[in-house]
């Protein structure tokens, strides 16, 4: 039996909440980043919960556990793994994408912040590749470790979820940063 890891999972057509609920009901640890917004629905103000990362959520378990749920085409026909593609000789092998614990923790801190001013980009953003590694030491993003990035004219901290996405915080003043060696 393999050891447990965090896996990035994707759904179709905004069904990540439905899949997440199914995982929780089956006692699987999962992370579904959301944002609460007030919207006008039929002329009335309603509070709605929306996904911060459309069609994506994360689950923790062994590869065997994850496969038994992801390949459950009766209950979860709209659920798939995110894959990384490895070259083995002349062949390309697909392996479910494992997200390291520290990247999940950084993502939790960023997504827990009460702000809509986050940048989420599928894949890596070139301008984020350069930059000083830093830790945020104050404010709502305290504890996040990433790289300084300038985006839309503001200093931010970008965290790369390997092979999946880059998430950048809202503006971070230099006084809130310390260098990471």
């Amino acid at each position: 039996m393999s050891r447990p890891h965090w896996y990035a999972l994707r759904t179709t057509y905004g069904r990540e909440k439905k899949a997440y609920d199914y995982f929780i009901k089956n006692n699987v640890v999962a992370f579904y980043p959301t944002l609460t917004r007030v919207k006008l629905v039929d002329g009335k103000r309603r509070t709605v919960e929306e996904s911060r990362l459309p069609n994506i959520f994360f689950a923790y378990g062994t590869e065997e556990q994850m496969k038994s749920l992801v390949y459950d085409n009766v209950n979860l026909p709209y659920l798939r793994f995110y894959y990384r593609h490895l070259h083995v000789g002349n062949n390309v092998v697909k392996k479910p994408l494992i997200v390291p614990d520290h990247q999940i923790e950084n993502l939790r801190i960023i997504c827990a912040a009460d702000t809509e001013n986050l940048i989420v980009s599928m894949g890596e953003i070139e301008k984020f590749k350069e930059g000083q590694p830093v830790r945020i030491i104050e404010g709502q993003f305290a504890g996040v470790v990433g790289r300084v990035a300038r985006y839309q004219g503001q200093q931010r901290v970008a965290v790369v979820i390997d092979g999946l996405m880059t998430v950048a915080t809202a503006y971070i003043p230099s006084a809130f940063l310390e260098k990471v060696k």
Side-chain angles (χ1 to χ4, degrees), residues 82-181:
Y82 265 97
Y83 288 102
R84 55 193 171 101
H85 296 82
L86 306 167
H87 293 276
V88 179
N90 291 334
N91 299 325
V92 175
V93 177
K94 289 189 332 185
K95 293 291 240 180
L97 179 70
I98 292 172
V99 182
D101 292 356
H102 70 278
Q103 290 179 357
I104 290 289
E105 285 313 307
N106 285 331
L107 190 61
R108 280 185 193 277
I109 293 168
I110 291 172
C111 289
D114 188 20
T115 182
E116 294 183 27
N117 193 14
L118 299 179
I119 305 296
V120 177
S121 173
M122 299 313 282
E124 294 183 30
I125 299 174
E126 284 303 314
K127 60 174 72 170
F128 287 169
K129 287 203 173 166
E130 288 179 23
Q132 176 66 45
V134 293
R135 176 178 293 106
I136 302 174
I137 55 173
E138 280 186 50
Q140 61 186 346
F141 299 110
V144 169
V145 177
R147 292 189 175 273
V148 172
R150 289 202 65 77
Y151 194 78
Q152 296 178 337
Q154 294 184 327
Q155 177 173 272
R156 301 169 185 256
V157 173
V159 174
V160 176
I161 305 296
D162 294 333
L164 182 61
M165 71 180 77
T166 299
V167 179
T169 64
Y171 168 75
I172 304 289
S174 294
F176 285 17
L177 302 176
E178 72 178 11
K179 289 182 181 177
V180 174
K181 292 181 169 59

Side-chain angles (χ1 to χ4, degrees), residues 13-104:
Y13 309 113
R15 294 183 181 131
E16 62 275 19
K17 171 80 168 109
K18 191 173 175 182
Y20 167 81
D21 289 344
Y22 187 84
F23 273 60
I24 296 301
K25 191 174 92 183
N26 285 282
N27 299 312
V28 176
V29 174
F31 173 47
Y32 169 54
T34 59
L35 177 64
T36 303
R37 291 198 175 162
V38 176
K39 287 190 167 182
L40 276 179
V41 179
D42 297 330
K44 295 183 180 143
R45 294 168 69 82
R46 300 247 192 247
T47 302
V48 294
E49 191 177 67
E50 296 178 344
S51 176
R52 278 202 187 259
L53 308 172
N55 305 324
I56 300 172
F57 76 102
F58 303 89
Y60 185 79
T62 64
E63 189 170 340
E64 294 81 10
Q65 281 176 302
M66 292 302 113
K67 283 181 176 177
S68 72
L69 289 162
V70 172
Y71 299 148
D72 178 347
N73 287 327
V74 173
N75 295 298
L76 300 167
Y78 47 82
L79 181 66
R80 297 289 175 262
F81 281 111
Y82 265 97
Y83 288 102
R84 55 193 171 101
H85 296 82
L86 306 167
H87 293 276
V88 179
N90 291 334
N91 299 325
V92 175
V93 177
K94 289 189 332 185
K95 293 291 240 180
L97 179 70
I98 292 172
V99 182
D101 292 356
H102 70 278
Q103 290 179 357
I104 290 289

